[in-house]
Amino acid sequence: MKKIIAIICLVLSTISLYAKEAQDSLLLKIDKRNQTLLDAGSSKRTLREELEIAFSKKGLVLSDSLWQDIRKAIKTDSDGDSSLSVRIGNSQVKIGIFKSGVGNQQSVASSQSTVNSGQWSGKKEEVRVGLDGVHVKDGNEETHVTWDGVYHREGNEVTKVIWGKDSTKIKRPNLYSRRGLNFYLGLNALTGVEPELAIPYPGAPAYVPNFTLDPMGSRYASIEISRFVTLSEGKKSAFRLGYGLEIDWYNFRFDHNRIATKGPNSVQFTTITSSTGKEVAMSKNKMSVSYLTLPIMPHFVFDKKSAVQMIAIGGYMSYRLDTWTKAIEEESGNLRKETSNLYVNPFRYGVRAEFALRHFPDLFFSYDLSPLFEPGKGPEMRGLAFGIRLL
């Protein structure tokens, strides 16, 4: 509404300028040969003094730049008469320069300097009035009055006066940012009910599956590029929608000596025996899965001086990139490594929560809603991970 009122005022002021042009005009005649003001009578005053008196009667001021333009027009070698026309404020000033000292005012294109409301003339002193505002130029000074404020330039120095609130002076809150390159490091685990006995295929002997993990050896790692869109922002908080792309790894380190293998119909655990028939102990026995993940994280952010700087609750969708097992024999140090899908689900989805605290590492927790293995190919186990964000 303020903008509309300001524009209406500018339009009305423009119309009033043209309406008053006739009554606010000033017509002066100069004798080029004697450099005197015609119709001023005999006087010992200089031409500039006479002009200043004539200007002051109309409430105007003869500027130095306009005086220099008048002097240039007087000193020109043109044989004919010339004239200057300039608008100062609401007044139109016309100055006729006559070589013979008598005659009628005449406009000569070669020496005329005119400023109107349509375009700039390129001279030192200019005024332009239009719907976009009022522009005034005087030498190296320039002023622009618009509906939103006043802009004044003098050389390289710029002064701004803004109507109402000055957005350039509003101090934006220093809010927590989830944007950038992030590294997550933590532990992972498996949840679900393990079957007491499992048969890898019809006719095969039953065995006891064991998904017991080494709690400190099962690690989760992730690298993410994240961005966000601000949905709402206040003075000390904001609500944003975070998104990004990440690659993450599950590393399930088993706390036993049986190696996960791909059976004919399901995943199974195989015991490695020595030539004497004894079970071979493993110093390391793990199954790893890598994913390409798209996280979607709506979150609230607060000022960085707050104790709680961010609360995020969202979800993620993933596509499995690779699956492999790695086992190292304890005595011989032999490495056993196999790359296979192990009937792991090609797609994964789940929920995630993140918390940013002041003077404390950022925390995260994620839980898979989809089972780790394909239906009927393994137990109903789901992965989870928790830890800290390093960056």
Side-chain angles (χ1 to χ4, degrees):
M1 180 61 71
K2 292 183 178 179
K3 297 180 180 179
I4 297 175
I5 295 175
I7 293 174
I8 294 174
C9 293
L10 286 174
V11 173
L12 293 176
S13 64
T14 303
I15 297 174
S16 65
L17 284 175
Y18 293 117
K20 293 182 179 180
E21 180 177 352
Q23 64 183 27
D24 290 342
S25 62
L26 175 62
L27 178 62
L28 300 173
K29 300 177 183 179
I30 297 176
D31 183 352
K32 183 176 182 179
R33 179 182 302 172
N34 300 320
Q35 297 191 17
T36 58
L37 189 63
L38 297 178
D39 302 331
S42 59
S43 175
K44 295 183 179 181
R45 298 187 186 95
T46 63
L47 176 60
R48 179 165 185 172
E49 292 174 343
E50 292 290 348
L51 289 173
E52 288 176 344
I53 293 174
F55 271 63
S56 63
K57 289 181 180 180
K58 285 285 187 176
L60 305 175
V61 177
L62 177 64
S63 64
D64 292 337
S65 60
L66 180 56
W67 169 245
Q68 294 299 328
D69 289 340
I70 295 173
R71 283 176 54 84
K72 290 179 182 178
I74 294 175
K75 292 181 179 181
T76 184
D77 294 334
S78 174
D79 293 334
D81 299 335
S82 60
S83 68
L84 292 174
S85 179
V86 63
R87 181 180 292 276
I88 303 177
N90 295 332
S91 300
Q92 182 75 24
V93 179
K94 297 179 180 179
I95 303 174
I97 302 173
F98 303 98
K99 184 175 182 181
S100 61
V102 293
N104 297 323
Q105 180 181 358
Q106 184 179 5
S107 295
V108 179
S110 62
S111 60
Q112 187 176 10
S113 176
T114 303
V115 179
N116 52 42
S117 62
Q119 60 182 4
W120 295 99
S121 65
K123 294 296 181 179
K124 292 183 178 180
E125 184 173 288
E126 300 168 311
V127 177
R128 185 182 67 185
V129 180
L131 293 179
D132 60 340
V134 180
H135 300 258
V136 180
K137 184 176 181 182
D138 184 5
N140 64 342
E141 295 186 25
E142 185 175 351
T143 303
H144 182 198
V145 183
T146 64
W147 57 266
D148 61 343
V150 179
Y151 302 82
H152 179 75
R153 181 188 298 274
E154 183 174 359
N156 295 327
E157 183 178 351
V158 178
T159 303
K160 297 181 180 180
V161 180
I162 309 298
W163 310 137
K165 291 184 178 181
D166 185 358
S167 60
T168 61
K169 295 182 180 180
I170 297 176
K171 185 178 180 181
R172 299 187 65 84
N174 186 21
L175 301 179
Y176 179 93
S177 176
R178 197 180 174 275
R179 183 195 307 271
L181 184 64
N182 304 317
F183 292 95
Y184 296 87
L185 185 63
L187 302 176
N188 51 227
L190 287 171
T191 63
V193 179
E194 298 181 35
E196 296 181 358
L197 292 175
I199 300 176
Y201 55 92
Y207 71 97
V208 178
N210 192 342
F211 284 89
T212 304
L213 300 179
D214 180 0
M216 300 306 297
S218 298
R219 300 183 181 94
Y220 172 87
S222 172
I223 179 171
E224 175 194 36
I225 298 176
S226 62
R227 294 289 185 270
F228 66 80
V229 176
T230 300
L231 303 179
S232 177
E233 183 172 325
K235 293 182 179 180
K236 295 183 179 180
S237 63
F239 179 61
R240 295 169 176 171
L241 179 63
Y243 60 94
L245 193 66
E246 69 175 304
I247 298 177
D248 54 336
W249 292 267
Y250 275 152
N251 292 282
F252 301 111
R253 184 165 177 173
F254 298 112
D255 194 17
H256 54 73
N257 298 321
R258 292 189 291 278
I259 302 175
T261 59
K262 183 178 181 180
N265 299 307
S266 64
V267 63
Q268 62 186 48
F269 287 88
T270 303
T271 301
I272 305 300
T273 58
S274 64
S275 58
T276 59
K278 293 183 179 180
E279 182 180 286
V280 176
M282 300 293 173
S283 60
K284 178 183 291 187
N285 181 16
K286 72 173 185 176
M287 180 182 73
S288 301
V289 188
S290 62
Y291 295 94
L292 178 65
T293 301
L294 174 65
I296 304 294
M297 298 296 295
H299 58 284
F300 290 93
V301 293
F302 306 95
D303 192 278
K304 290 186 176 180
K305 295 181 180 179
S306 303
V308 178
Q309 300 178 352
M310 182 196 68
I311 299 176
I313 299 177
Y316 54 88
M317 297 176 292
S318 304
Y319 176 75
R320 183 180 58 81
L321 298 177
D322 197 9
T323 307
W324 68 95
T325 60
K326 182 179 179 181
I328 300 177
E329 297 180 7
E330 189 174 73
E331 293 185 2
S332 63
N334 292 336
L335 173 64
R336 295 175 178 270
K337 187 175 181 181
E338 179 183 355
T339 300
S340 172
N341 63 10
L342 294 176
Y343 299 108
V344 174
N345 252 325
F347 297 99
R348 178 189 65 164
Y349 58 91
V351 294
R352 174 181 291 180
E354 295 182 12
F355 304 93
L357 307 176
R358 190 181 181 187
H359 304 312
F360 197 81
D362 297 354
L363 305 177
F364 77 91
F365 173 83
S366 62
Y367 178 77
D368 295 346
L369 297 177
S370 58
L372 178 64
F373 298 103
E374 297 177 11
K377 303 295 184 179
E380 288 286 331
M381 309 293 289
R382 289 172 171 81
L384 65 86
F386 58 92
I388 62 174
R389 190 175 74 171
L390 300 180
L391 290 179

